[in-house]
Amino acid sequence: MYKATISITLRPSILDPEGKTIQHALTNLGYDVVDQVRMGKQAEVWIDAASEAEAREVATEACEKLLANPVTENFEIQIESASREAVGEGTA
């Protein structure tokens, strides 16, 4: 069992109005040192695979087909071993 933590962010060439709004709000709160904010999303996916390489392949295909928009978003995958008990802890 593996846990894939997937970070999905807008490509640098894509405007990020949410990030810009947050950066402006932080400046208004006195955080003048914050120069730029880019927002994204994160997914945690538990994969029952025989190896880390197989888990990474499944996570990559999931990103390419569903989780990320290949035209506007980049994704980064981190894989770690997970126990079956840990899977149950993350669900409601």
Side-chain angles (χ1 to χ4, degrees):
M1 181 69 61
Y2 294 89
K3 176 182 163 189
T5 303
I6 304 165
S7 298
I8 302 165
T9 55
L10 289 171
R11 292 178 181 247
S13 62
I14 303 296
L15 295 176
D16 184 357
E18 183 179 11
K20 189 67 174 169
T21 299
I22 292 168
Q23 186 269 327
H24 182 69
L26 288 169
T27 300
N28 288 341
L29 290 172
Y31 295 98
D32 296 329
V33 295
V34 176
D35 185 58
Q36 183 178 359
V37 176
R38 300 285 290 176
M39 292 301 297
K41 53 191 171 184
Q42 179 175 308
E44 294 179 341
V45 181
W46 283 264
I47 302 167
D48 191 4
S51 68
E52 183 176 328
E54 183 182 327
R56 182 173 301 282
E57 184 177 331
V58 169
T60 300
E61 288 178 11
C63 288
E64 291 171 347
K65 293 181 179 179
L66 177 67
L67 298 176
N69 179 338
V71 175
T72 61
E73 296 174 319
N74 292 326
F75 61 87
E76 182 178 311
I77 301 168
Q78 293 181 342
I79 302 285
E80 62 185 90
S81 293
S83 66
R84 291 197 181 276
E85 293 79 28
V87 174
E89 293 174 5
T91 59

